[in-house]
Amino acid sequence: METIEVSREEAEAVAKKFAGRKEFSELMTFYKCAIMEVETKLNVLNQEFALQYDRNPFESIETRLKDPVSIVEKLMSRGIEVSLENIERELYDIAGIRVVCSFKEDIYKLADLLIEQDDVLILMRKDYIKKPKDNGYRSLHMIVDIPIFLSNGKKHMKVEVQFRTIAMDFWASVEHKLKYKKEIQNPEEVGERLKRCADILSSMDDEMEDIRRRIDS
Ligand code: 0O2
């Protein structure tokens, strides 16, 4: 996808005007409600799964709402007019949930159990575990549609859910920090080394999963 260079200042100026609107705050509240719905579903599954398998499938769950400047920046960089309609139609990651699991196997179990639910519709699934990004990034991404029930009816919202193991999360967090640090002098070497770290962590995930299977069998 072609992107347009947008300065932070430019996005901030547009966001300042836009985010002050009542309709924008209302839309963000709807996204927050959608996050709460999906988070509750995941917490329920975590409890139930623990009874069945004697372990909690996830270690932690984090939620976030994309900030107004990042929303505006993303639309502008794609050459899309900044409007409420376009935020809802074009952006799938306003509401985000990150689920960190101990084992890869649990990621798939949890993801399947979530999308099997009657009111959860899967819109998109990107499996960067089976097919990691070239830089080594691994996670399972899903965009789900979930209804929220308001005083004047039902509204469908999109939520991005990212599932990762602890090892994948460690890599992504550190890589993210490094990327946003000062200018990198030798990006190719750094990229290769980071990719190597991602591959080592992936082997560790496989090894830990194997150890768990042997202990449980
Ligand atoms: P933040 O702050 O986490 O939200 P798009 O989502 O439209 O930008 P695309 O290609 O459809 O683009 O999405 P993709 O690559 O499937 O997922 C984007 C999100 O995944 C990112 O969100 C990150 O959270 C995570 N991610 C993807 N690739 C990498 C990577 O190489 N390193 C790290 N650390 N995270 C990655 P944002 O919006 O970039 O950030």
Side-chain angles (χ1 to χ4, degrees):
M1 185 191 296
E2 260 188 56
T3 54
I4 304 160
E5 189 88 20
V6 181
S7 74
R8 189 78 189 165
E9 293 73 33
E10 215 180 326
E12 273 170 2
V14 177
K16 202 171 169 188
K17 278 194 244 157
F18 199 74
R21 286 172 51 187
K22 185 173 159 280
E23 296 80 2
F24 179 82
S25 308
E26 195 177 64
L27 181 61
M28 290 302 115
T29 303
F30 296 157
Y31 278 112
K32 268 190 221 159
C33 296
I35 287 177
M36 288 193 288
E37 291 279 355
V38 179
E39 192 181 9
T40 302
K41 284 177 180 296
L42 288 163
N43 279 319
V44 170
L45 288 172
N46 198 34
Q47 296 288 324
E48 200 252 354
F49 191 108
L51 288 176
Q52 215 177 328
Y53 298 97
D54 211 21
R55 67 172 190 275
N56 288 104
F58 63 77
E59 290 295 315
S60 66
I61 184 162
E62 264 174 42
T63 65
R64 72 109 182 86
L65 203 58
K66 208 170 186 73
D67 69 83
V69 179
S70 304
I71 293 174
V72 166
E73 220 168 15
K74 196 160 190 174
L75 286 174
M76 288 172 78
S77 68
R78 291 183 181 177
I80 300 168
E81 188 201 339
V82 180
S83 69
L84 291 178
E85 294 71 32
N86 286 340
I87 291 175
E88 278 200 83
R89 192 175 45 230
E90 306 288 340
L91 303 184
Y92 298 167
D93 65 340
I94 305 291
I97 301 189
R98 186 168 290 154
V99 186
V100 178
C101 299
S102 303
F103 303 104
K104 238 168 27 177
E105 201 180 279
D106 293 348
I107 290 180
Y108 292 105
K109 274 203 192 115
L110 206 52
D112 286 347
L113 290 169
L114 178 68
I115 57 172
E116 267 169 21
Q117 301 194 3
D118 289 348
D119 52 353
V120 179
L121 181 69
I122 181 151
L123 301 176
M124 203 188 282
R125 188 176 193 271
K126 290 189 198 168
D127 192 341
Y128 297 125
I129 299 175
K130 293 219 164 78
K131 201 173 178 309
K133 285 197 170 183
D134 290 343
N135 62 355
Y137 175 78
R138 285 168 172 82
S139 277
L140 173 68
H141 292 190
M142 296 199 316
I143 310 292
V144 297
D145 172 292
I146 179 112
I148 55 166
F149 297 89
L150 305 163
S151 54
N152 57 355
K154 183 162 84 164
K155 184 166 171 62
H156 285 267
M157 306 300 298
K158 294 183 188 87
V159 177
E160 183 191 60
V161 192
Q162 298 183 347
F163 294 93
R164 301 172 173 172
T165 61
I166 300 168
M168 293 169 196
D169 189 53
F170 162 69
W171 184 92
S173 308
V174 176
E175 188 257 4
H176 187 266
K177 266 185 209 146
L178 291 172
K179 263 200 327 206
Y180 291 97
K181 270 197 165 178
K182 46 194 145 79
E183 283 276 297
I184 297 171
Q185 298 298 322
N186 39 358
E188 271 185 23
E189 189 207 327
V190 169
E192 273 168 30
R193 292 178 70 183
L194 282 169
K195 164 89 171 51
R196 213 173 311 137
C197 290
D199 293 343
I200 294 169
L201 289 163
S202 173
S203 306
M204 282 176 64
D205 265 339
D206 291 341
E207 184 66 4
M208 296 291 261
E209 191 148 82
D210 191 56
I211 294 170
R212 185 193 56 72
R213 277 203 206 106
R214 274 162 200 262
I215 290 174
D216 286 353
S217 65

